[in-house]
């Protein structure tokens, strides 16, 4: 729950949030043209900041995550 999403070049990116009380560090991309999900690189495990219920948006070719609960 509490994941964020944004779209770049018709590909949807989804990540962060939490699952059963554990903070998620993974990112996924969905390409509707191929009807396929692809796992992207996870957040660095040395970075203690995780986020849920944030806001995701894209500007140009970059995705951003802001606000939300930081754990």
């Amino acid at each position: 729950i509490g994941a964020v999403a944004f779209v770049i070049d018709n590909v949807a990116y989804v990540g962060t949030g939490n699952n059963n009380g554990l903070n998620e560090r993974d990112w996924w991309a969905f390409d509707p043209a191929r009807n396929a999900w692809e796992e992207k690189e996870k957040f660095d495990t040395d970075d203690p900041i995780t986020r849920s219920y944030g806001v995701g948006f894209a500007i140009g070719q970059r995705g951003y995550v802001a606000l939300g609960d930081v754990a």
Side-chain angles (χ1 to χ4, degrees):
I1 62 173
V4 300
F6 52 84
V7 176
I8 299 173
D9 289 336
N10 295 322
V11 175
Y13 295 87
V14 181
T16 71
N18 59 60
N19 182 8
N20 290 323
L22 299 174
N23 295 319
E24 295 293 332
R25 296 179 181 273
D26 58 342
W27 277 97
W28 290 84
F30 179 72
D31 183 350
R34 296 184 357 225
N35 192 29
W37 285 95
E38 178 182 347
E39 187 172 14
K40 297 298 187 179
E41 188 171 333
K42 295 181 180 184
F43 285 133
D44 185 352
T45 56
D46 292 333
D47 183 355
I49 297 174
T50 56
R51 183 178 312 272
S52 58
Y53 302 103
V55 175
F57 61 95
I59 298 175
Q61 296 298 305
R62 293 182 182 243
Y64 298 88
V65 176
L67 306 170
D69 291 336
V70 177

